[in-house]
Short mmCIF file of all heavy atoms in Angstrom, two decimals:
data_model
loop_
_atom_site.label_atom_id
_atom_site.label_comp_id
_atom_site.label_asym_id
_atom_site.label_seq_id
_atom_site.Cartn_x
_atom_site.Cartn_y
_atom_site.Cartn_z
N GLY Q 1 0.81 -1.21 0.00
CA GLY Q 1 0.00 0.00 0.00
C GLY Q 1 0.84 1.26 0.00
O GLY Q 1 2.05 1.24 -0.26
N VAL Q 2 0.18 2.35 0.31
CA VAL Q 2 0.81 3.66 0.28
C VAL Q 2 1.64 3.87 1.55
O VAL Q 2 1.14 3.69 2.65
CB VAL Q 2 -0.28 4.76 0.18
CG1 VAL Q 2 0.35 6.14 0.17
CG2 VAL Q 2 -1.13 4.54 -1.06
N PRO Q 3 2.90 4.25 1.40
CA PRO Q 3 3.73 4.48 2.58
C PRO Q 3 3.38 5.81 3.24
O PRO Q 3 2.73 6.67 2.66
CB PRO Q 3 5.16 4.52 2.01
CG PRO Q 3 4.99 4.93 0.60
CD PRO Q 3 3.65 4.40 0.16
N ALA Q 4 3.85 5.96 4.47
CA ALA Q 4 3.73 7.23 5.19
C ALA Q 4 5.07 7.94 5.10
O ALA Q 4 6.11 7.32 4.88
CB ALA Q 4 3.37 6.95 6.65
N LEU Q 5 5.04 9.25 5.29
CA LEU Q 5 6.26 10.04 5.31
C LEU Q 5 6.67 10.23 6.77
O LEU Q 5 5.89 10.71 7.59
CB LEU Q 5 6.02 11.40 4.66
CG LEU Q 5 7.22 12.30 4.47
CD1 LEU Q 5 8.24 11.65 3.53
CD2 LEU Q 5 6.78 13.64 3.90
N SER Q 6 7.88 9.83 7.10
CA SER Q 6 8.34 9.92 8.48
C SER Q 6 8.34 11.36 8.96
O SER Q 6 8.79 12.27 8.26
CB SER Q 6 9.76 9.35 8.60
OG SER Q 6 10.25 9.57 9.91
N ARG Q 7 7.84 11.57 10.17
CA ARG Q 7 7.84 12.90 10.77
C ARG Q 7 9.22 13.26 11.31
O ARG Q 7 9.47 14.41 11.63
CB ARG Q 7 6.81 12.94 11.91
CG ARG Q 7 5.40 12.85 11.41
CD ARG Q 7 4.42 12.66 12.56
NE ARG Q 7 3.08 12.62 12.05
CZ ARG Q 7 2.17 13.57 12.26
NH1 ARG Q 7 2.46 14.59 13.02
NH2 ARG Q 7 0.97 13.47 11.76
N THR Q 8 10.10 12.28 11.38
CA THR Q 8 11.44 12.52 11.91
C THR Q 8 12.26 13.41 10.98
O THR Q 8 12.91 14.35 11.42
CB THR Q 8 12.18 11.19 12.14
OG1 THR Q 8 11.39 10.37 12.98
CG2 THR Q 8 13.54 11.40 12.76
N ASP Q 9 12.23 13.09 9.66
CA ASP Q 9 13.03 13.86 8.71
C ASP Q 9 12.24 14.40 7.53
O ASP Q 9 12.79 15.08 6.67
CB ASP Q 9 14.21 13.03 8.22
CG ASP Q 9 13.78 11.79 7.44
OD1 ASP Q 9 12.58 11.62 7.16
OD2 ASP Q 9 14.66 10.98 7.11
N ASN Q 10 10.95 14.08 7.46
CA ASN Q 10 10.09 14.51 6.35
C ASN Q 10 10.63 14.10 4.99
O ASN Q 10 10.37 14.75 3.98
CB ASN Q 10 9.85 16.02 6.38
CG ASN Q 10 8.94 16.42 7.50
OD1 ASN Q 10 7.98 15.73 7.83
ND2 ASN Q 10 9.24 17.55 8.13
N GLU Q 11 11.38 12.99 4.94
CA GLU Q 11 11.92 12.47 3.68
C GLU Q 11 11.75 10.97 3.54
O GLU Q 11 11.53 10.47 2.46
CB GLU Q 11 13.42 12.79 3.57
CG GLU Q 11 13.74 14.26 3.45
CD GLU Q 11 15.23 14.52 3.36
OE1 GLU Q 11 16.02 13.55 3.30
OE2 GLU Q 11 15.62 15.70 3.36
N THR Q 12 11.88 10.25 4.65
CA THR Q 12 11.91 8.79 4.63
C THR Q 12 10.51 8.22 4.54
O THR Q 12 9.62 8.62 5.30
CB THR Q 12 12.60 8.26 5.90
OG1 THR Q 12 13.90 8.86 5.99
CG2 THR Q 12 12.73 6.75 5.86
N LEU Q 13 10.32 7.27 3.61
CA LEU Q 13 9.05 6.58 3.50
C LEU Q 13 9.05 5.40 4.46
O LEU Q 13 10.00 4.61 4.49
CB LEU Q 13 8.82 6.11 2.07
CG LEU Q 13 8.70 7.22 1.03
CD1 LEU Q 13 8.54 6.64 -0.37
CD2 LEU Q 13 7.57 8.17 1.36
N ILE Q 14 7.99 5.30 5.26
CA ILE Q 14 7.86 4.26 6.27
C ILE Q 14 6.51 3.58 6.13
O ILE Q 14 5.63 4.07 5.42
CB ILE Q 14 8.04 4.83 7.70
CG1 ILE Q 14 6.99 5.91 7.99
CG2 ILE Q 14 9.45 5.39 7.87
CD1 ILE Q 14 7.04 6.47 9.41
N CYS Q 15 6.33 2.46 6.82
CA CYS Q 15 5.05 1.76 6.72
C CYS Q 15 3.94 2.57 7.41
O CYS Q 15 4.22 3.40 8.28
CB CYS Q 15 5.16 0.35 7.33
SG CYS Q 15 5.26 0.30 9.13
N PRO Q 16 2.70 2.35 7.02
CA PRO Q 16 1.60 3.09 7.61
C PRO Q 16 1.51 2.95 9.14
O PRO Q 16 1.19 3.91 9.83
CB PRO Q 16 0.35 2.50 6.93
CG PRO Q 16 0.87 2.00 5.61
CD PRO Q 16 2.25 1.50 5.90
N GLU Q 17 1.82 1.76 9.66
CA GLU Q 17 1.73 1.57 11.11
C GLU Q 17 2.76 2.43 11.85
O GLU Q 17 2.43 3.07 12.85
CB GLU Q 17 1.92 0.10 11.46
CG GLU Q 17 1.67 -0.18 12.93
CD GLU Q 17 1.64 -1.66 13.26
OE1 GLU Q 17 1.53 -2.51 12.36
OE2 GLU Q 17 1.70 -1.97 14.46
N CYS Q 18 3.98 2.48 11.36
CA CYS Q 18 5.00 3.33 11.99
C CYS Q 18 4.64 4.80 11.82
O CYS Q 18 4.88 5.63 12.71
CB CYS Q 18 6.38 3.04 11.43
SG CYS Q 18 7.08 1.48 12.03
N GLY Q 19 4.03 5.15 10.69
CA GLY Q 19 3.58 6.53 10.48
C GLY Q 19 2.50 6.92 11.47
O GLY Q 19 2.52 8.02 12.03
N THR Q 20 1.57 6.02 11.71
CA THR Q 20 0.51 6.28 12.69
C THR Q 20 1.10 6.39 14.09
O THR Q 20 0.71 7.27 14.87
CB THR Q 20 -0.56 5.16 12.64
OG1 THR Q 20 -1.11 5.10 11.32
CG2 THR Q 20 -1.67 5.42 13.64
N ALA Q 21 2.06 5.53 14.41
CA ALA Q 21 2.70 5.58 15.72
C ALA Q 21 3.40 6.93 15.93
O ALA Q 21 3.30 7.53 17.00
CB ALA Q 21 3.70 4.44 15.87
N GLN Q 22 4.08 7.43 14.89
CA GLN Q 22 4.74 8.73 15.00
C GLN Q 22 3.71 9.85 15.18
O GLN Q 22 3.92 10.77 15.97
CB GLN Q 22 5.60 9.01 13.77
CG GLN Q 22 6.88 8.22 13.72
CD GLN Q 22 7.76 8.60 12.55
OE1 GLN Q 22 7.42 9.43 11.69
NE2 GLN Q 22 8.94 7.98 12.49
N ALA Q 23 2.59 9.76 14.47
CA ALA Q 23 1.54 10.78 14.60
C ALA Q 23 0.95 10.77 16.00
O ALA Q 23 0.70 11.83 16.59
CB ALA Q 23 0.45 10.54 13.55
N LEU Q 24 0.72 9.58 16.54
CA LEU Q 24 0.19 9.48 17.90
C LEU Q 24 1.18 10.03 18.92
O LEU Q 24 0.78 10.72 19.87
CB LEU Q 24 -0.18 8.03 18.23
CG LEU Q 24 -1.41 7.49 17.50
CD1 LEU Q 24 -1.50 5.98 17.67
CD2 LEU Q 24 -2.67 8.18 17.99
#
């Protein structure tokens, strides 16, 4: 599926679950 953009560096594509964890 569609990856999430990491909030850590705004460049790295990460899995949706890790993206949600960072958002939380």
